[in-house]
Amino acid sequence: QVQLVESGGGWVEAGGSLTLTCTASGQTASTLAMGWFRQAPGKEREPAAAIDYTGRNVMYGDSAKGRFTISRDNAKNTVSLQMDALTPDDTAVYYCAARLYKPTLNVIDYADWGRGTQVTVSS
């Protein structure tokens, strides 16, 4: 089992940037695929991005393409999500998740989740 802790959330004006970080501990985190998901009030949890254990294979949800960048540092057991050109529609709780094998953008594929970090984008 792996423990995941998100950080870096906060308040930002539209057009601004934030970088979220997920720190993993427990099971050898560097061997896991990792994902970032988000959930806005009243909406379903949706994918932002995912990355394989090497860091070479990444994928993005439709809302994140061209604006978000996922990366990882296996030496530090961290996965980051750089978010640029933020809009109020990006306001949500952002969650880090982990799974064995290949990364996916499906919520149900991930067994381990962090508690989330709030991102609020003002207009």
Side-chain angles (χ1 to χ4, degrees):
Q1 188 176 6
V2 62
Q3 291 75 47
L4 305 171
V5 178
E6 303 93 337
S7 61
W11 177 90
V12 64
E13 291 185 345
S17 299
L18 277 177
T19 299
L20 306 181
T21 299
C22 174
T23 303
S25 60
Q27 182 178 345
T28 307
S30 62
T31 66
L32 300 173
M34 305 290 289
W36 281 100
F37 295 81
R38 68 185 190 182
Q39 188 165 19
K43 295 187 177 181
E44 294 185 353
R45 194 167 297 189
E46 65 177 20
I51 189 167
D52 76 342
Y53 77 96
T54 69
R56 291 193 291 266
N57 297 309
V58 300
M59 56 185 66
Y60 295 95
D62 289 341
S63 61
K65 290 178 181 176
R67 299 187 302 128
F68 294 4
T69 303
I70 190 170
S71 61
R72 68 188 298 160
D73 184 338
N74 286 339
K76 297 180 179 179
N77 283 340
T78 59
V79 177
S80 297
L81 185 68
Q82 170 71 36
M83 306 186 295
D84 299 317
L86 288 164
T87 75
D89 288 341
D90 295 313
T91 296
V93 177
Y94 284 71
Y95 297 91
C96 177
R99 72 182 303 267
L100 295 172
Y101 313 121
K102 296 181 180 180
T104 79
L105 294 176
N106 300 318
V107 172
I108 62 172
D109 290 338
Y110 288 81
D112 295 296
W113 292 83
R115 300 183 68 175
T117 185
Q118 175 71 46
V119 171
T120 302
V121 184
S122 65
S123 58

